[in-house]
Every structure is written in C-alpha cells, then in structure tokens.
Amino acid sequence: MKKQLALMFGIWLFVYPIVTAILYALRTFGSSLPVPVQTLIATLILVPVMIGWVAPFVRKQVEQLFSNKQVPPVPNSAPARN
C-alpha cells in the first residue's frame, strides 16, 4: 500500500508541472483553439512523456526506496583536510 501511494505521489509530482506547462504554452500560442483541440494536443504530448520517461523513472526510484538493499554512500570527492 505504501509503495503504491509513493508511486502515485511521485507520478503526480511530474504530471502537475508538465500539464501546467502544456496548458500555459497552449494558452500563449493557441488561445483561439477549441478546448477539445487543446486537450488533444496536451494528451499527444503528455502520454508519451509519461509512458516513456516519467513512469519508468518514478517506478525505479520507488523500487529503490522500498528495497532492502543498502544504497552505497556517494564518495566524498573533496580532499581530506588535516
């Protein structure tokens, strides 16, 4: 249940700004278009972005979050001070 909620929230975090940007662009450049045409354009952009990049990325992050494996720490690239 927690995993599904994390996945849903993670996808929403990407969907909201993408939809907002698409709608803003459509208002700026195509304000005379009917709402169904604006919806068509928005979904033609949003669905491939979600399926191709966002959903796999969020799923991978959630799997890492809920896995039992220890994630190795990032090595410190700064030289040690004495």
Side-chain angles (χ1 to χ4, degrees):
M1 180 71 172
K2 288 182 183 180
K3 194 175 185 180
Q4 288 177 332
L5 288 174
L7 184 62
M8 190 170 45
F9 181 71
I11 290 175
W12 176 82
L13 280 176
F14 282 90
V15 168
Y16 181 78
I18 293 170
V19 168
T20 303
I22 292 169
L23 293 176
Y24 179 75
L26 287 173
R27 277 197 178 184
T28 303
F29 301 113
S31 61
S32 64
L33 295 173
V35 172
V37 175
Q38 290 181 16
T39 305
L40 176 66
I41 294 169
T43 57
L44 284 173
I45 297 168
L46 182 64
V47 171
V49 168
M50 291 303 300
I51 291 173
W53 295 292
V54 174
F57 174 77
V58 172
R59 184 176 304 278
K60 181 179 176 182
Q61 299 305 311
V62 169
E63 290 295 331
Q64 286 180 354
L65 180 68
F66 285 94
S67 71
N68 293 329
K69 297 177 185 176
Q70 291 287 343
V71 177
V74 176
N76 188 359
S77 60
R81 293 185 179 182
N82 292 331

